[in-house]
Every structure is written in structure tokens, then in C-alpha cells.
Amino acid sequence: MRVKTLQELADAGKLSGKRVLIRSDLNAPHDESGRITDETRLTASVPAIQMALRAGAAVMVVSHLGRPKEGVPTEAESLIHVADRLSELLGTEMPLVRNWVDGVTVEPGHVVMLENCRFNVGEKKNNEDLARKYAALCDVYVNDAFGTSHRAEATTEGVAHFAKCACAGPLLAREIEALTAAVEEARHPLMAIVAGSKVSTKLTILNHLASTVDRLVVGGGIANTFLLAKGFPIGKSLAEPDLVPECLRVLKTLEEKHATMPLPVDVVVSKTFSAEGPFRVCSVSDVADDEMILDIGPKSREELDREVRAAKTIVWNGPVGVFEMEPFAGGTKALAASIAAATDDGAFSIAGGGDTVSAVKQFGIADRVSYISTGGGAFLEFLEGKTLPAVAALEARADD
């Protein structure tokens, strides 16, 4: 996967005096007063902006925030608070520009924030006329928003076709490099861990990965449905019985290519979905009708550790238990430790998805995972084998 990068342009001295439009992902959570409650996306966007400023560019940053009705700007979904906080992070003034589609004034060495792009009519539908207007604002278009790269919108995909030059920012470039290393150019054995509440939400991913990985590990409600498919009792555990045939197809695909799915051999169960209620560890064949599987047990953790330690590439999406509750956090904590240890020993690991990133932080292994994806939906669609429209648009412009 080859794209032109902002770093290449900066190194070649091609940004000085140029008007640079950076599409960042600044859709940060905030409270009712507008105070930003998680600055992860803001801090991740800073390197691209700094790179362009240091190179002497006139910089415009654009992003969406929330899901406003197009053509109806509101203060609640304005980027004013984001602009104020980024000004502090950058150490330079970053004024907010409203009504910017038909022209923006910014001098080289300075930066402005453009108001929420989803206020513009035609943004989400990737209107060509709007994309051309965006392209007319700049000499260089930079996509540094991997989290929106699965969406073909005017600021993510359309503008890349019409800008004089289109490239990837450092965040997007790292995502592409990491995902390529994890899937398309993976070292084997390749292990994927896919967990979540429902098979239905991850079925396409499971089918795609079953044909590419050496080990496919499932967790949560997904694992319960696979256990059901294998004939084990799951009590009143979260599962989707109607998708048992789909699970059997995934298992058949794995068998045909001599890959495996190591399912739990013991589990932690409880009669109530609560951290305060009684719980016990039992064999997967000993789950009572009134019990729920809420985590994998100690023997399963040991077996999973051996599997993880043998892998050369590990893709992790989803916790294997209800890790938010202490009695059921042990499986995910053990998995995190195993992935960290495997990475220390030379494996390449990538973690993505909201719950997964939370688990990485909770169990203190962020600096022991090769790469943590910021993508969310884009990360999942890449695992499904889908083309990401915004990335494809940059690929098409790589040699311009």
C-alpha cells in the first residue's frame, strides 16, 4: 500500500509558503459545557500540524464533531473548544474560522481551525462541487484522520481527487504501515483475537480472518456462540443461537486451511451480571442452566498464553471477558500480559477498537504493544478486507 506522505514533502522542502489543508480527526468526547473529556485524538493530531508549520506552510485544519444536521450550525457542535485547546497544545494561536468554504486567509507559519465540516451541506454525501471547493483552498491536501478513512465524504475522500497534491499525515501513514504489517505482510504464525457481544457484528471479520490467520481466538458473546456450535452448555450466557450455522462455516474454513480456533476449556460463571454477586470457575461442559459465562478460566488463560507466545503477529480486537468488573477481568488482564510478553520477544502486535484500547490502558501495556490503532470503525473494516475509500484515494494520487 503506497501513498505519498507529508513527511516526504517536508523533507523535500515542498511545503514552504504552501497552503496546506489537514483533515484531522478531532471528534473528541466532551461534556455539556463543551469541556473536552478525552484529549487522545487532539494530541494525536498535533505532529502533522507541527510538521507543516515548521516547514513554513500556511495551515488549515478541518474536522467533524458529532453528527449535526447539515446547514444548521450549533454552538454545541462547534469546534471552538477544540481550537482553544489545540492552541494550548501547539503553543500558538489557532483561531476558529466560520463560513470558510469559499475562502480562508492564513499566512505562512500560522494555523487556523476551520469550523465543523459537517455543518456544510453535501459533506457526508461527498458532493463533488463541495469537494472541488475544498481543493481550491489549498496547494496540499493532507489526510491525517484514519478514524474516518472508511467513510467517503467530501473532506476525507472527495477532496483528495481534486487537490493539486494529496498525501497522508504521520498518523494515517503509521496506521497504514501497521495494518499492512499486521495483515497483508504479516509474519506467521498469525493470530487474531476477535471478541465482542455478538457474532453478527463481527461475522464478516471472522469469515475474512478465517481464511488468512493461523489461529483465530474469539471471546465474549462471540465465544459463547461458538461454544454452543460445538455442543457445550452455555446456560443463559449472551449468545446468538440462530448464527450457529455461520459459526460452523467459520470453523470449517479454519479446518480446511489447517488453522485452529482454541476455545475456552474452563470459564468464570455467575447467576447475576454483577461484580458483587457470587461466581465460580467451572469446565465449559459444566455450565448450569441459570449461569452466565463472563470470563475465561485459569486453564484457558494458560493455554491462550502458550498460543500467544508462539505467534509472530498478533491482531487484537476485543476483551475476552467483562473486564470492567473485577471478578471477570482476569482473562483480559492475562491476555494483555501475554501479548505484551510476546511483543517483548519480537512479535508484532496491533490493538484496535474502543474496548481494546481501554483494556490496554487499564492493564498498563500501552508501551509494550507494537501499535495501538486509533481507527475504530476503519480498523474493523480493514480487518474485514474492505477497501478504505479515503486511503484508496491517496493511493491513486501517490505518483502525482
Side-chain angles (χ1 to χ4, degrees):
M1 193 179 295
R2 161 82 177 115
V3 298
K4 188 178 298 178
T5 69
L6 183 64
Q7 184 70 64
E8 292 170 9
L9 297 177
D11 291 345
K14 294 182 178 180
L15 297 179
S16 181
K18 301 296 185 181
R19 295 166 60 84
V20 174
L21 176 64
I22 302 176
R23 191 359 171 144
S24 299
D25 182 4
L26 304 173
N27 188 31
H30 53 282
D31 60 23
E32 293 181 358
S33 68
R35 184 181 66 85
I36 298 164
T37 56
D38 183 346
E39 296 186 347
T40 302
R41 290 177 176 173
L42 273 65
T43 54
S45 73
V46 166
I49 301 169
Q50 289 179 328
M51 186 182 296
L53 287 173
R54 284 196 299 266
V59 183
M60 297 161 281
V61 178
V62 62
S63 177
H64 74 283
L65 180 65
R67 298 178 179 179
K69 183 178 180 180
E70 290 186 357
V72 186
T74 66
E75 285 304 310
E77 289 156 317
S78 170
L79 285 168
I80 183 63
H81 297 291
V82 173
D84 289 345
R85 182 58 184 138
L86 268 178
S87 295
E88 296 172 352
L89 293 173
L90 291 165
T92 187
E93 185 181 1
M94 188 182 201
L96 179 72
V97 179
R98 305 178 194 266
N99 303 315
W100 50 271
V101 173
D102 294 315
V104 180
T105 300
V106 57
E107 298 298 322
H110 294 267
V111 58
V112 296
M113 172 72 73
L114 307 183
E115 183 58 285
N116 193 337
C117 60
R118 288 190 178 170
F119 289 167
N120 301 331
V121 177
E123 165 63 22
K124 292 193 70 174
K125 291 188 176 180
N126 201 12
N127 178 270
E128 182 176 323
D129 290 338
L130 184 62
R132 287 183 180 276
K133 286 186 175 183
Y134 292 161
L137 296 175
C138 64
D139 302 300
V140 178
Y141 164 74
V142 183
N143 190 333
D144 203 38
F146 179 75
T148 63
S149 62
H150 58 308
R151 301 190 183 106
E153 299 180 353
T155 58
T156 62
E157 197 268 351
V159 61
H161 294 288
F162 306 117
K164 297 174 185 176
C165 175
C167 67
L171 177 61
L172 180 60
R174 286 196 303 274
E175 291 273 0
I176 293 172
E177 181 181 357
L179 285 167
T180 300
V183 180
E184 295 179 1
E185 299 173 1
R187 289 184 294 140
H188 290 259
L190 166 59
M191 168 182 277
I193 300 143
V194 179
S197 58
K198 295 183 178 181
V199 172
S200 54
T201 61
K202 302 282 180 74
L203 183 59
T204 307
I205 297 172
L206 293 169
N207 280 319
H208 180 70
L209 289 177
S211 64
T212 60
V213 304
D214 304 295
R215 303 284 185 275
L216 180 57
V217 176
V218 290
I222 294 175
N224 297 340
T225 307
F226 274 92
L227 286 171
L228 190 62
K230 295 286 282 186
F232 290 102
I234 62 168
K236 58 177 185 178
S237 304
L238 178 64
E240 294 175 288
D242 57 322
L243 288 180
V244 162
E246 296 293 343
C247 292
L248 292 173
R249 272 192 279 275
V250 171
L251 290 168
K252 183 178 180 182
T253 300
L254 289 167
E255 182 182 1
E256 288 174 347
K257 64 184 294 292
H258 305 293
T260 61
M261 177 182 287
L263 287 167
V265 295
D266 62 343
V267 288
V268 183
V269 298
S270 176
K271 295 182 180 181
T272 61
F273 190 76
S274 168
E276 283 72 45
F279 60 91
R280 70 184 183 104
V281 176
C282 68
S283 164
V284 289
S285 60
D286 190 34
V287 178
D289 291 344
D290 60 349
E291 291 179 321
M292 293 178 283
I293 300 171
L294 298 176
D295 195 12
I296 61 173
K299 292 179 181 178
S300 299
R301 297 168 199 174
E302 291 176 6
E303 290 193 8
L304 186 54
D305 178 68
R306 285 191 289 271
E307 296 279 1
V308 170
R309 296 293 192 100
K312 295 297 183 184
T313 305
I314 305 158
V315 180
W316 182 20
N317 173 243
V320 293
V322 186
F323 75 101
E324 299 90 347
M325 299 182 188
E326 180 58 33
F328 316 115
T332 303
K333 183 178 182 179
L335 173 60
S338 298
I339 292 173
T343 308
D344 292 344
D345 290 339
F348 179 84
S349 58
I350 182 169
D355 286 344
T356 315
V357 175
S358 296
V360 165
K361 293 178 180 178
Q362 180 172 320
F363 300 122
I365 64 162
D367 59 346
R368 297 175 65 198
V369 175
S370 303
Y371 193 79
I372 300 173
S373 175
T374 62
F379 176 79
L380 294 178
E381 291 203 9
F382 190 96
L383 295 186
E384 290 178 38
K386 292 182 178 179
T387 297
L388 304 181
V391 175
L394 295 182
E395 285 186 279
R397 301 293 306 278
D399 298 320
D400 289 358

